[in-house]
Amino acid sequence: MFDFGIIRKTKEKVEDSIFDLTRRIELKKQEKEGLLRKPSSKDDVISMLHEFIDSQADEYKLRLGHMLKRYIENPENIRTATGGYKNSPLRLLSFTGKDPGGSHDPLHDAQPNLFYIFREQIKESIKQSVIDMPWPDSGLSISEREDGAAKLDAEINKLQKELKDVLKSARDSGLDV
């Protein structure tokens, strides 16, 4: 009589392999999720805020250059016939860096100006504020997270390919798994 036990044992080995690969894939996905969901580090937050301050300050510098251009290219725009100023030079250094009345939200427009003039003081103040804050345990830096996530993605893809190959091989051999 033929012993079908060997077929059953082979099928069980294949099923165990499939289960193990599926479990390992899920664990890698959970590891990646955990890596990406950990709180940001103080250094990353400080860096992000400093980049924002720099971009706003640069925006004001462009605005100021745009406003000065008309006086640079047309010096006659500065003085009136009586020797006074056509437009107050203070308009050039307005709180917003724009012509007065050019915005409905002067506080928002003032932000780039303040960041331009007080850039380093604001950056230092923000940095110290973040340093002094209570902070949860943070994860890796943003760049390290990206590298870690890419590594985990590669491992997940490798395991998924291996699982696909095992399933195909089992089905091609007539095993119903």
Side-chain angles (χ1 to χ4, degrees):
M1 170 160 248
F2 187 75
D3 181 14
F4 288 98
I6 208 154
I7 295 172
R8 182 176 50 78
K9 286 181 184 177
T10 301
K11 183 178 181 198
E12 286 173 357
K13 277 186 176 182
V14 170
E15 288 172 342
D16 287 346
S17 231
I18 292 169
F19 176 78
D20 181 58
L21 286 168
T22 304
R23 183 183 57 75
R24 288 170 54 200
I25 290 168
E26 187 55 36
L27 288 173
K28 291 291 178 187
K29 287 180 178 180
Q30 288 173 8
E31 184 180 349
K32 179 184 172 188
E33 187 72 19
L35 173 76
L36 297 176
R37 289 200 176 269
K38 283 224 174 208
S40 297
S41 69
K42 286 185 177 188
D43 287 341
D44 280 340
V45 171
I46 291 167
S47 178
M48 179 220 24
L49 292 170
H50 285 186
E51 285 177 27
F52 176 74
I53 290 165
D54 287 338
S55 72
Q56 291 290 295
D58 292 344
E59 180 182 318
Y60 175 77
K61 187 175 181 179
L62 289 173
R63 285 183 193 173
L64 183 61
H66 177 72
M67 286 189 61
L68 286 173
K69 185 177 180 180
R70 72 178 123 167
Y71 296 104
I72 293 167
E73 293 176 354
N74 300 304
E76 70 277 0
N77 284 341
I78 296 175
R79 296 275 185 185
T80 64
T82 61
Y85 291 106
K86 285 184 180 178
N87 295 307
S88 168
L90 293 177
R91 284 181 66 185
L92 290 173
L93 302 175
S94 71
F95 203 50
T96 64
K98 294 181 177 180
D99 285 323
S103 173
H104 299 293
D105 186 359
L107 186 58
H108 178 267
D109 288 339
Q111 181 173 292
N113 177 309
L114 292 172
F115 287 166
Y116 180 74
I117 295 170
F118 300 109
R119 180 187 311 224
E120 294 310 315
Q121 294 95 323
I122 292 172
K123 286 168 79 171
E124 186 56 38
S125 177
I126 291 286
K127 178 181 177 182
Q128 193 58 53
S129 294
V130 171
I131 288 170
D132 292 344
M133 287 179 182
W135 210 266
D137 289 338
S138 59
L140 299 173
S141 71
I142 296 298
S143 61
E144 291 171 322
R145 285 177 201 226
E146 291 169 356
D147 293 345
K151 181 181 173 193
L152 288 168
D153 280 338
E155 292 174 23
I156 290 167
N157 289 336
K158 181 181 174 189
L159 290 168
Q160 286 174 330
K161 183 185 179 325
E162 192 175 333
L163 175 61
K164 183 180 173 185
D165 291 346
V166 167
L167 288 170
K168 183 180 180 333
S169 179
R171 288 183 184 131
D172 288 351
S173 299
L175 287 175
D176 185 22
V177 288

